Amino acid sequence: MIIRVLPQLNSRQQWIDFCRREMPYCFVEQPQCLIDFQSTHLQITLLSSRTQGKDAIKYSLGSRRSVEPAWQLIRACNWDLNALLTGLEQMDFSSNVRDNSLLGVHTDLTARKFFSKERSVIAPSSVGLLRPLGQAPEIWSGEHLLRLIANGQYSDLRNEQIALPHMSDTNTSSSTQAGGIPVPSISSLRLMLLEQPWQWVGQQHKERLHLFRERQPIISLIPDFTAPAPRLKAKGNARQNYL
């Protein structure tokens, strides 16, 4: 399923265009969330590079009988999704909420806050273009490591594992084995970095960059910040590679 990404939902026309879609179900870049308005309830799932859908905060706002209470709430927030979320963050969800006061809207509106179970949802900032690095960052985060690996900006890939057989992979081309444990393939390494970037950190020692996952050494390599050759070309213009 391809989910459209909208830059924002901060005006009346943007909301109207969104709801006129065949399926009013989209990502929003700012604030970063997933919006679902396919029923009488407006559902908002807050996303970040840390949650990626797993245990993300989710709001459900609306009425069983009509879509009008949800629309009145959006209208009361001046069609601004940021203002709506600010109001929700100030509400007390410690007990069942039957909202009669939030921004003075329709009394038939109910509001719920819970944790999403959509573990496969990935935040918009974690997909799309992965720009190559021009220099070493001050702190090697999972995002920086992913950009380095995805753009092939490295050489001399070496295994640094001691006994992690679950990381094995049969694809060991251009990599060095240690202790009989093969280096993860580049495709599986990229997937791990994409799914859980917060678990990864890089530490540089002299010319080598060591990649740690949850404080466990996985691989090391030599970074190369030379801009990679474009993989695709269109009308003479280079396109950056996608993951």
Side-chain angles (χ1 to χ4, degrees):
M1 178 181 178
I2 299 176
I3 306 176
R4 184 178 178 185
V5 179
L6 302 177
Q8 57 187 13
L9 275 174
N10 292 336
S11 71
R12 178 177 180 274
Q13 189 59 51
Q14 288 173 351
W15 277 100
I16 291 175
D17 292 343
F18 166 66
C19 290
R20 281 177 176 171
R21 294 177 54 81
E22 181 178 354
M23 184 180 295
Y25 181 84
C26 292
F27 285 118
V28 177
E29 289 183 339
Q30 294 296 331
Q32 194 162 234
C33 57
L34 179 67
I35 303 293
D36 185 352
F37 206 1
Q38 301 177 79
S39 65
T40 59
H41 285 74
L42 171 65
Q43 298 188 58
I44 307 172
T45 305
L46 304 182
L47 299 173
S48 72
S49 59
R50 291 191 60 84
T51 60
Q52 307 234 337
K54 179 181 179 181
D55 297 330
I57 293 176
K58 189 168 187 175
Y59 295 104
S60 179
L61 314 160
S63 166
R64 292 183 179 180
R65 297 184 294 180
S66 169
V67 72
E68 184 60 24
W71 267 116
Q72 288 192 17
L73 175 60
I74 297 169
R75 189 181 302 116
C77 294
N78 197 28
W79 310 96
D80 189 336
L81 180 59
N82 287 285
L84 173 58
L85 289 175
T86 298
L88 290 172
E89 290 171 354
Q90 296 173 356
M91 290 184 61
D92 181 10
F93 288 91
S94 59
S95 60
N96 292 333
V97 175
R98 181 80 174 176
D99 180 57
N100 293 313
S101 60
L102 178 61
L103 302 175
V105 298
H106 199 288
T107 56
D108 195 32
L109 177 74
T110 60
R112 292 180 57 222
K113 177 182 180 181
F114 51 99
F115 290 107
S116 172
K117 300 302 180 182
E118 301 171 280
R119 296 177 181 269
S120 60
V121 177
I122 298 176
S125 63
S126 297
V127 297
L129 288 171
L130 291 170
R131 292 175 290 112
L133 296 175
Q135 60 185 12
E138 292 185 5
I139 299 177
W140 282 97
S141 66
E143 179 185 353
H144 292 117
L145 297 174
L146 178 58
R147 288 169 57 185
L148 190 79
I149 295 294
N151 287 285
Q153 293 182 293
Y154 62 87
S155 63
D156 195 24
L157 190 66
R158 295 182 184 176
N159 182 21
E160 299 292 345
Q161 301 172 81
I162 299 175
L164 297 176
H166 63 281
M167 296 287 292
S168 299
D169 194 289
T170 57
N171 182 1
T172 59
S173 60
S174 69
S175 60
T176 303
Q177 295 192 37
I181 305 173
V183 176
S185 69
I186 293 303
S187 59
S188 62
L189 183 61
R190 285 186 298 186
L191 183 59
M192 289 186 287
L193 284 164
L194 176 62
E195 289 184 335
Q196 297 174 315
W198 60 90
Q199 291 187 349
W200 292 81
V201 66
Q203 294 183 6
Q204 191 142 5
H205 179 66
K206 297 183 179 179
E207 66 173 3
R208 299 199 67 81
L209 175 65
H210 297 258
L211 279 64
F212 292 80
R213 184 185 187 189
E214 294 187 321
R215 300 184 180 181
Q216 296 294 326
I218 303 300
I219 64 171
S220 68
L221 50 82
I222 300 177
D224 179 1
F225 301 109
T226 304
R231 297 182 182 180
L232 298 175
K233 293 183 179 181
K235 297 181 180 180
N237 293 325
R239 295 179 181 177
Q240 302 217 26
N241 54 311
Y242 290 79
L243 178 65

